[in-house]
Amino acid sequence: MKEIVAIIRPNKMTRTKEVLAALGFPALTAWKVLGRGKQKGLAGEVSFPLRPDLVQEEGGMRYVPKRLISLVVEDEDVPLVVGAIMKVNRTGAIGDGRVFVCPLEDAVRIRTQERGTVAIL
């Protein structure tokens, strides 16, 4: 099993969920997060007016709003899921996000105490 963690643009969240569900991966966890990459938070990334104290002199922001999603999949499904996330979220512009694939030792469904693959299905 692997955990796939992706940091994406907020406006891509709905489409990402739709595509993953259509591929058979409807279960995920999502958070509203703030962060920035090496571009130091481009102010043009957001579609709302910024308070002056949030904008840095270089035209950047302290942090940019993003969405972080996490889902657990079988090893053989990693290329499909990562490919789908990439296809939906890649605009070719700075700020498209990141995808991380992490090894996962075990999973336990609390209600039934099932372990491993059956716990994530």
Side-chain angles (χ1 to χ4, degrees), residues 1 6 20-21 28 36 48-49 59 75 82-83 88-89 91 98 120:
M1 289 182 290
L20 290 173
L28 58 82
R36 68 181 204 176
F48 51 83
D75 291 3
V82 170
V88 171
N89 291 279
T91 68
R98 300 279 192 276
I120 65 169

Side-chain angles (χ1 to χ4, degrees), residues 15 17 22 29 36 39 54-55 58 60 68 77 81 90-91 94 98 100 114-115:
R15 185 70 184 133
K17 288 189 303 185
T29 302
R36 68 181 204 176
Q39 84 282 2
L54 292 179
V55 179
E58 312 86 48
L68 188 143
D77 294 325
V81 172
R90 187 170 188 276
T91 68
I94 291 172
R98 300 279 192 276
F100 304 98
E114 296 167 302
R115 298 186 84 92

Side-chain angles (χ1 to χ4, degrees), residues 87-109:
K87 186 173 183 178
V88 171
N89 291 279
R90 187 170 188 276
T91 68
I94 291 172
D96 280 348
R98 300 279 192 276
V99 177
F100 304 98
V101 179
C102 310
L104 192 66
E105 190 173 314
D106 198 5
V108 180
R109 179 174 289 142

